[in-house]
């Protein structure tokens, strides 16, 4: 089974974008994952091929029309893949959700534009809103590429060394320990001696302690929270 992404967008040329390069790009060429795009505009009904209209109730910007988007969604074979809508109002994407998605058969991803999407199509097509962070992009395409990047890199066989995913930030619930490589001396700074000691157990313990200290300092929210009385 090949992981397949179907992207609904007004800008199909933005895909596969950076995912056509490096490890993800090679995996794409090898057929270890697949991507197809659906041009939402192809499902417009009027002679101007309009996909957006002014917001009901007034206000700035435009809103993606529900009927056009619904037809685009319905053109995709109804399968077991989750249907996602990239949206700053969505549930923030986590490595845990990325893992779940990577374990499935693929994703159908709707990329919003303008002020967003008519609420009724979100409900009628049961779209799962996913956010990549608390900031506003101009469109869902870079968000979809970000989500796919996170998923594709952990698909079996995509990363050269499958083990290197194991110690990553978040995988163990902590931020990752710092990294060093040669030269031994850089602008007066040495590689911590323990890392060149050859004592693997001590190195492992040092890395764990560093990860814990870094997480405490930068992201205490990631640590198990004390039970409130
Ligand atoms: N008016 C909307 C923002 C629209 S931005 C609001 O305030 O909620 C236009 C499109 O960009 C959105 O429909 C969505 O698809 C995408 N987008 C913007 N920021 C995003 C984010 N943080 N995560 C995921 N998608 C985002």
């Amino acid at each position: 089974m090949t992981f397949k992404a179907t992207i609904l967008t007004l800008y199909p040329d933005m895909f596969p974008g950076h995912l056509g390069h490096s490890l993800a790009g090679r995996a794409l060429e090898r057929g270890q994952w697949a991507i197809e795009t659906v041009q939402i505009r192809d499902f417009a009904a009027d002679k101007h091929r309009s996909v957006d209209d002014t917001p009901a109730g007034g206000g700035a910007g435009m809103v993606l029309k529900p009927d056009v988007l619904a037809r685009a969604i319905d053109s995709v074979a109804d399968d077991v893949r989750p249907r996602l809508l990239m949206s700053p109002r969505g549930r923030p994407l986590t490595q845990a959700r990325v893992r779940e998605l990577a374990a499935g058969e693929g994703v159908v991803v709707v990329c919003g534009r303008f002020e967003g999407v008519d609420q009724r199509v979100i409900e009628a097509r049961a779209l799962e809103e996913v956010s990549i962070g608390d900031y506003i992009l101009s469109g869902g395409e870079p968000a979809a590429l970000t989500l796919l990047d996170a998923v594709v890199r952990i698909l079996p066989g995509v990363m050269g060394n499958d083990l290197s995913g194991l110690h990553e930030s978040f995988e163990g619930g902590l931020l990752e320990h710092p990294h060093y490589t040669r030269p031994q001396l850089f602008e007066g700074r040495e590689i911590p001696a323990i890392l060149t000691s050859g004592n693997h157990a001590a190195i492992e313990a040092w890395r764990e302690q560093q990860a814990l200290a870094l997480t405490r300092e930068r992201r205490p929210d990631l640590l198990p929270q004390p039970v409130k009385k």
Side-chain angles (χ1 to χ4, degrees):
M1 180 198 73
T2 305
F3 184 94
K4 182 175 168 191
T6 301
I7 313 291
L8 285 75
T9 171
L10 290 168
Y11 300 95
D13 291 352
M14 290 189 184
F15 298 89
H18 76 280
L19 297 177
H21 298 266
S22 189
L23 292 180
R26 251 167 281 152
L28 186 58
E29 273 170 25
R30 286 198 298 262
Q32 285 171 321
W33 67 287
I35 185 166
E36 65 177 14
T37 54
V38 173
Q39 168 56 277
I40 296 169
R41 198 173 294 281
D42 289 346
F43 298 87
D46 61 343
K47 67 172 196 282
H48 301 293
R49 301 224 297 159
S50 28
V51 293
D52 57 336
D53 207 336
T54 53
M62 300 294 271
V63 177
L64 258 167
K65 289 162 66 64
D67 49 340
V68 176
L69 190 52
R71 282 194 294 272
I73 293 169
D74 294 344
S75 79
V76 179
D78 195 14
D79 52 37
V80 300
R81 292 179 296 163
R83 286 194 292 233
L84 314 179
L85 169 66
M86 303 319 296
S87 158
R89 304 186 320 175
R91 191 147 59 102
L93 186 63
T94 61
Q95 191 64 19
R97 185 69 183 122
V98 166
R99 284 222 164 273
E100 283 172 10
L101 293 173
E105 296 187 11
V107 283
V108 177
V109 186
V110 178
C111 300
R113 276 273 154 183
F114 322 116
E115 287 309 311
V117 170
D118 187 301
Q119 181 62 26
R120 293 167 297 174
V121 70
I122 301 177
E123 293 165 12
R125 293 299 178 273
L127 302 180
E128 174 190 338
E129 292 181 70
V130 179
S131 168
I132 63 157
D134 292 343
Y135 40 80
I136 307 293
L137 303 169
S138 49
E141 289 79 10
L145 284 166
T146 297
L147 177 143
L148 276 182
D149 184 316
V151 169
V152 165
R153 64 185 287 284
I154 61 169
L155 293 176
V158 171
M159 280 206 299
N161 173 4
D162 276 342
L163 269 182
S164 69
L166 275 181
H167 284 281
E168 226 92 52
S169 289
F170 309 123
E171 292 292 1
L174 299 177
L175 301 181
E176 206 183 24
H177 56 79
H179 298 282
Y180 299 88
T181 188
R182 280 177 291 265
Q184 173 64 29
L185 185 65
F186 167 69
E187 297 185 353
R189 295 161 195 263
E190 297 266 10
I191 294 178
I194 189 142
L195 295 179
T196 47
S197 68
N199 183 339
H200 294 293
I203 291 172
E204 202 45 46
W206 179 86
R207 285 180 168 164
E208 266 170 38
Q209 174 262 319
Q210 290 283 315
L212 196 58
L214 200 65
T215 308
R216 257 197 212 111
E217 181 192 318
R218 296 189 182 174
R219 294 292 305 277
D221 57 296
L222 293 176
L223 295 169
Q225 300 302 310
V227 187
K228 285 212 186 79
K229 290 223 183 89

